[in-house]
mmCIF file of all heavy atoms in Angstrom:
data_model
loop_
_atom_site.group_PDB
_atom_site.id
_atom_site.type_symbol
_atom_site.label_atom_id
_atom_site.label_comp_id
_atom_site.label_asym_id
_atom_site.label_seq_id
_atom_site.Cartn_x
_atom_site.Cartn_y
_atom_site.Cartn_z
ATOM 1 N N ARG B 46 -14.928 24.343 14.662
ATOM 2 C CA ARG B 46 -14.304 24.418 13.330
ATOM 3 C C ARG B 46 -14.166 25.859 12.866
ATOM 4 O O ARG B 46 -13.145 26.247 12.327
ATOM 5 C CB ARG B 46 -15.160 23.685 12.320
ATOM 6 C CG ARG B 46 -14.982 22.218 12.367
ATOM 7 C CD ARG B 46 -15.506 21.697 11.065
ATOM 8 N NE ARG B 46 -15.468 20.251 11.057
ATOM 9 C CZ ARG B 46 -15.697 19.532 9.982
ATOM 10 N NH1 ARG B 46 -15.999 20.128 8.852
ATOM 11 N NH2 ARG B 46 -15.630 18.223 10.021
ATOM 12 N N GLU B 87 10.523 -4.243 17.122
ATOM 13 C CA GLU B 87 10.137 -3.788 15.786
ATOM 14 C C GLU B 87 9.408 -2.450 15.868
ATOM 15 O O GLU B 87 9.724 -1.508 15.142
ATOM 16 C CB GLU B 87 9.242 -4.836 15.111
ATOM 17 C CG GLU B 87 8.828 -4.417 13.705
ATOM 18 C CD GLU B 87 7.838 -5.379 13.038
ATOM 19 O OE1 GLU B 87 7.630 -6.503 13.537
ATOM 20 O OE2 GLU B 87 7.282 -4.978 12.003
ATOM 21 N N GLY B 92 11.522 4.080 12.501
ATOM 22 C CA GLY B 92 11.788 5.512 12.483
ATOM 23 C C GLY B 92 10.919 6.266 11.497
ATOM 24 O O GLY B 92 10.965 7.475 11.420
ATOM 25 N N ALA B 100 9.592 16.330 3.247
ATOM 26 C CA ALA B 100 8.473 17.189 2.851
ATOM 27 C C ALA B 100 8.434 18.499 3.632
ATOM 28 O O ALA B 100 7.871 19.484 3.176
ATOM 29 C CB ALA B 100 7.153 16.432 3.016
ATOM 30 N N SER B 110 10.381 22.245 -6.443
ATOM 31 C CA SER B 110 10.859 20.958 -5.931
ATOM 32 C C SER B 110 11.050 19.965 -7.060
ATOM 33 O O SER B 110 10.129 19.698 -7.833
ATOM 34 C CB SER B 110 9.862 20.386 -4.926
ATOM 35 O OG SER B 110 10.279 19.088 -4.584
ATOM 36 N N GLU B 125 -13.208 12.864 -12.951
ATOM 37 C CA GLU B 125 -14.335 13.158 -12.080
ATOM 38 C C GLU B 125 -14.869 11.840 -11.544
ATOM 39 O O GLU B 125 -14.744 10.806 -12.198
ATOM 40 C CB GLU B 125 -15.424 13.844 -12.924
ATOM 41 C CG GLU B 125 -16.275 14.840 -12.190
ATOM 42 C CD GLU B 125 -17.245 15.516 -13.132
ATOM 43 O OE1 GLU B 125 -16.796 16.412 -13.895
ATOM 44 O OE2 GLU B 125 -18.430 15.126 -13.160
ATOM 45 N N LEU B 133 -29.544 12.468 3.419
ATOM 46 C CA LEU B 133 -29.964 12.625 4.819
ATOM 47 C C LEU B 133 -29.709 14.031 5.314
ATOM 48 O O LEU B 133 -29.994 14.354 6.451
ATOM 49 C CB LEU B 133 -29.197 11.649 5.715
ATOM 50 C CG LEU B 133 -29.346 10.178 5.392
ATOM 51 C CD1 LEU B 133 -28.391 9.364 6.229
ATOM 52 C CD2 LEU B 133 -30.776 9.719 5.626
ATOM 53 N N SER B 137 -35.943 17.272 4.860
ATOM 54 C CA SER B 137 -36.916 16.289 4.398
ATOM 55 C C SER B 137 -36.390 14.858 4.543
ATOM 56 O O SER B 137 -37.144 13.940 4.810
ATOM 57 C CB SER B 137 -37.285 16.560 2.937
ATOM 58 O OG SER B 137 -36.213 16.178 2.096
ATOM 59 N N ASN B 188 -15.664 10.674 24.052
ATOM 60 C CA ASN B 188 -15.020 11.662 24.917
ATOM 61 C C ASN B 188 -13.981 11.038 25.856
ATOM 62 O O ASN B 188 -14.168 11.006 27.079
ATOM 63 C CB ASN B 188 -16.097 12.390 25.742
ATOM 64 C CG ASN B 188 -15.532 13.607 26.449
ATOM 65 O OD1 ASN B 188 -14.548 14.192 26.012
ATOM 66 N ND2 ASN B 188 -16.143 13.976 27.565
ATOM 67 N N THR B 203 -9.118 -5.784 10.758
ATOM 68 C CA THR B 203 -8.288 -6.997 10.684
ATOM 69 C C THR B 203 -6.824 -6.586 10.579
ATOM 70 O O THR B 203 -5.964 -7.136 11.274
ATOM 71 C CB THR B 203 -8.686 -7.861 9.472
ATOM 72 O OG1 THR B 203 -10.105 -8.012 9.465
ATOM 73 C CG2 THR B 203 -8.028 -9.218 9.530
ATOM 74 N N THR B 233 -4.677 -14.886 13.172
ATOM 75 C CA THR B 233 -3.708 -13.825 12.901
ATOM 76 C C THR B 233 -2.568 -13.862 13.902
ATOM 77 O O THR B 233 -1.392 -13.789 13.537
ATOM 78 C CB THR B 233 -4.389 -12.443 12.984
ATOM 79 O OG1 THR B 233 -5.412 -12.378 12.002
ATOM 80 C CG2 THR B 233 -3.396 -11.317 12.744
ATOM 81 N N VAL B 251 -14.396 -7.920 22.196
ATOM 82 C CA VAL B 251 -15.449 -7.311 21.375
ATOM 83 C C VAL B 251 -16.601 -7.071 22.348
ATOM 84 O O VAL B 251 -17.430 -7.951 22.558
ATOM 85 C CB VAL B 251 -15.869 -8.239 20.218
ATOM 86 C CG1 VAL B 251 -16.941 -7.570 19.352
ATOM 87 C CG2 VAL B 251 -14.671 -8.632 19.371
ATOM 88 N N GLN B 265 -21.252 -1.902 34.082
ATOM 89 C CA GLN B 265 -20.664 -2.411 35.316
ATOM 90 C C GLN B 265 -19.567 -3.432 35.004
ATOM 91 O O GLN B 265 -18.463 -3.390 35.553
ATOM 92 C CB GLN B 265 -21.772 -3.035 36.174
ATOM 93 C CG GLN B 265 -21.322 -3.504 37.555
ATOM 94 C CD GLN B 265 -20.598 -2.406 38.328
ATOM 95 O OE1 GLN B 265 -20.929 -1.214 38.216
ATOM 96 N NE2 GLN B 265 -19.567 -2.782 39.075
ATOM 97 N N HIS B 277 -3.492 -5.620 36.712
ATOM 98 C CA HIS B 277 -2.470 -6.501 36.115
ATOM 99 C C HIS B 277 -1.750 -5.832 34.941
ATOM 100 O O HIS B 277 -1.012 -6.494 34.216
ATOM 101 C CB HIS B 277 -3.117 -7.815 35.681
ATOM 102 C CG HIS B 277 -3.677 -8.593 36.823
ATOM 103 N ND1 HIS B 277 -2.881 -9.319 37.680
ATOM 104 C CD2 HIS B 277 -4.947 -8.721 37.285
ATOM 105 C CE1 HIS B 277 -3.634 -9.885 38.608
ATOM 106 N NE2 HIS B 277 -4.901 -9.528 38.397
ATOM 107 N N LEU B 290 -24.580 -1.237 16.130
ATOM 108 C CA LEU B 290 -25.687 -2.175 15.942
ATOM 109 C C LEU B 290 -26.338 -2.479 17.295
ATOM 110 O O LEU B 290 -26.888 -3.559 17.494
ATOM 111 C CB LEU B 290 -25.218 -3.447 15.241
ATOM 112 C CG LEU B 290 -24.521 -3.276 13.879
ATOM 113 C CD1 LEU B 290 -24.291 -4.630 13.223
ATOM 114 C CD2 LEU B 290 -25.290 -2.371 12.945
ATOM 115 N N LEU B 313 -27.199 8.959 21.536
ATOM 116 C CA LEU B 313 -25.834 8.855 22.082
ATOM 117 C C LEU B 313 -25.863 8.400 23.535
ATOM 118 O O LEU B 313 -25.048 7.582 23.962
ATOM 119 C CB LEU B 313 -25.099 10.195 21.940
ATOM 120 C CG LEU B 313 -24.779 10.604 20.492
ATOM 121 C CD1 LEU B 313 -24.281 12.054 20.433
ATOM 122 C CD2 LEU B 313 -23.738 9.667 19.878
ATOM 123 N N GLY B 371 -7.298 6.050 -1.327
ATOM 124 C CA GLY B 371 -7.799 7.411 -1.485
ATOM 125 C C GLY B 371 -9.177 7.437 -2.130
ATOM 126 O O GLY B 371 -9.960 8.362 -1.890
ATOM 127 N N MET B 376 -14.808 8.714 -1.096
ATOM 128 C CA MET B 376 -16.224 8.332 -1.022
ATOM 129 C C MET B 376 -16.774 8.620 0.382
ATOM 130 O O MET B 376 -17.845 9.228 0.530
ATOM 131 C CB MET B 376 -16.378 6.855 -1.365
ATOM 132 C CG MET B 376 -17.821 6.407 -1.452
ATOM 133 S SD MET B 376 -17.939 4.636 -1.827
ATOM 134 C CE MET B 376 -17.877 3.945 -0.183
ATOM 135 N N LEU B 409 -35.860 -13.859 16.713
ATOM 136 C CA LEU B 409 -36.295 -14.305 18.040
ATOM 137 C C LEU B 409 -37.733 -14.826 18.000
ATOM 138 O O LEU B 409 -38.045 -15.842 18.636
ATOM 139 C CB LEU B 409 -36.169 -13.155 19.043
ATOM 140 C CG LEU B 409 -34.732 -12.831 19.469
ATOM 141 C CD1 LEU B 409 -34.682 -11.504 20.225
ATOM 142 C CD2 LEU B 409 -34.144 -13.947 20.340
ATOM 143 N N GLU B 437 -28.483 -28.523 24.025
ATOM 144 C CA GLU B 437 -28.177 -29.442 25.136
ATOM 145 C C GLU B 437 -27.886 -30.831 24.581
ATOM 146 O O GLU B 437 -28.738 -31.709 24.555
ATOM 147 C CB GLU B 437 -29.338 -29.459 26.131
ATOM 148 C CG GLU B 437 -29.410 -28.142 26.884
ATOM 149 C CD GLU B 437 -30.578 -28.079 27.848
ATOM 150 O OE1 GLU B 437 -30.711 -29.019 28.649
ATOM 151 O OE2 GLU B 437 -31.325 -27.098 27.768
ATOM 152 N N GLU B 453 -21.771 -32.442 17.145
ATOM 153 C CA GLU B 453 -21.884 -31.101 16.541
ATOM 154 C C GLU B 453 -21.772 -31.191 15.012
ATOM 155 O O GLU B 453 -22.532 -30.562 14.274
ATOM 156 C CB GLU B 453 -20.776 -30.201 17.097
ATOM 157 C CG GLU B 453 -20.871 -28.745 16.651
ATOM 158 C CD GLU B 453 -19.615 -27.948 16.977
ATOM 159 O OE1 GLU B 453 -18.498 -28.513 16.812
ATOM 160 O OE2 GLU B 453 -19.734 -26.784 17.406
ATOM 161 N N LEU B 466 -27.930 -23.344 6.928
ATOM 162 C CA LEU B 466 -26.531 -23.347 7.372
ATOM 163 C C LEU B 466 -26.365 -22.436 8.582
ATOM 164 O O LEU B 466 -26.668 -21.248 8.522
ATOM 165 C CB LEU B 466 -25.612 -22.885 6.233
ATOM 166 C CG LEU B 466 -24.150 -22.812 6.646
ATOM 167 C CD1 LEU B 466 -23.320 -23.900 5.982
ATOM 168 C CD2 LEU B 466 -23.530 -21.476 6.325
ATOM 169 N N PHE B 486 -24.580 -23.225 18.319
ATOM 170 C CA PHE B 486 -24.560 -22.853 16.905
ATOM 171 C C PHE B 486 -24.765 -21.339 16.815
ATOM 172 O O PHE B 486 -25.453 -20.753 17.660
ATOM 173 C CB PHE B 486 -25.651 -23.594 16.115
ATOM 174 C CG PHE B 486 -25.272 -25.011 15.820
ATOM 175 C CD1 PHE B 486 -25.570 -26.034 16.731
ATOM 176 C CD2 PHE B 486 -24.594 -25.333 14.653
ATOM 177 C CE1 PHE B 486 -25.191 -27.351 16.473
ATOM 178 C CE2 PHE B 486 -24.219 -26.641 14.393
ATOM 179 C CZ PHE B 486 -24.512 -27.654 15.300
ATOM 180 N N GLY B 521 -46.188 -26.008 10.106
ATOM 181 C CA GLY B 521 -46.041 -24.550 10.079
ATOM 182 C C GLY B 521 -46.131 -23.800 11.392
ATOM 183 O O GLY B 521 -46.002 -22.584 11.412
#
Side-chain angles (χ1 to χ4, degrees):
Chain B
R46 281 198 184 189
E87 181 185 347
S110 173
E125 211 176 283
L133 301 172
S137 74
N188 191 26
T203 311
T233 299
V251 182
Q265 185 53 35
H277 297 283
L290 304 188
L313 292 170
M376 186 181 88
L409 286 168
E437 290 178 51
E453 186 192 40
L466 178 110
F486 282 88

